[in-house]
Amino acid sequence: MNGAWSHAERALVESRLTVAAIGGPQTVRERLNHLLQETRADELIFTSDLYDHVLRLRSFEIAANVMKTFFI
């Protein structure tokens, strides 16, 4: 993307990626665990940029199952 986006656009994307949890269940669990410890948040809001509806649902399913392991 070098040369295709402005400094502000790059900074915005990078700031969003610092809180992204991308991957399979174990990767998402590790990332969310780190995020919860780092922020001490008592609530998380999940969003997805996936266009494919089935894949988007699967990503939310992974996140939901991971979140259950933190609070059971």
Side-chain angles (χ1 to χ4, degrees):
M1 290 292 296
N2 290 337
W5 56 6
S6 70
H7 177 71
E9 291 168 326
R10 181 182 180 131
L12 179 65
V13 169
E14 289 176 351
S15 74
R16 297 304 185 263
L17 289 175
T18 63
V19 295
I22 302 167
Q26 185 59 33
T27 302
V28 171
R29 186 180 199 308
E30 291 168 5
R31 183 67 190 114
L32 291 179
N33 185 47
H34 175 76
L35 184 63
L36 287 168
Q37 288 181 3
E38 185 177 284
T39 64
R40 311 295 264 161
D42 63 356
E43 178 180 31
L44 297 176
I45 298 171
F46 293 87
T47 63
S48 174
D49 292 332
L50 293 170
Y51 177 77
D52 184 286
H53 184 67
V54 172
L55 295 177
R56 187 171 52 251
L57 288 177
R58 177 66 181 134
S59 72
F60 286 131
E61 180 182 304
I62 290 170
N65 289 332
V66 166
M67 289 304 294
K68 289 176 187 177
T69 69
F70 291 125
F71 302 106
I72 291 180

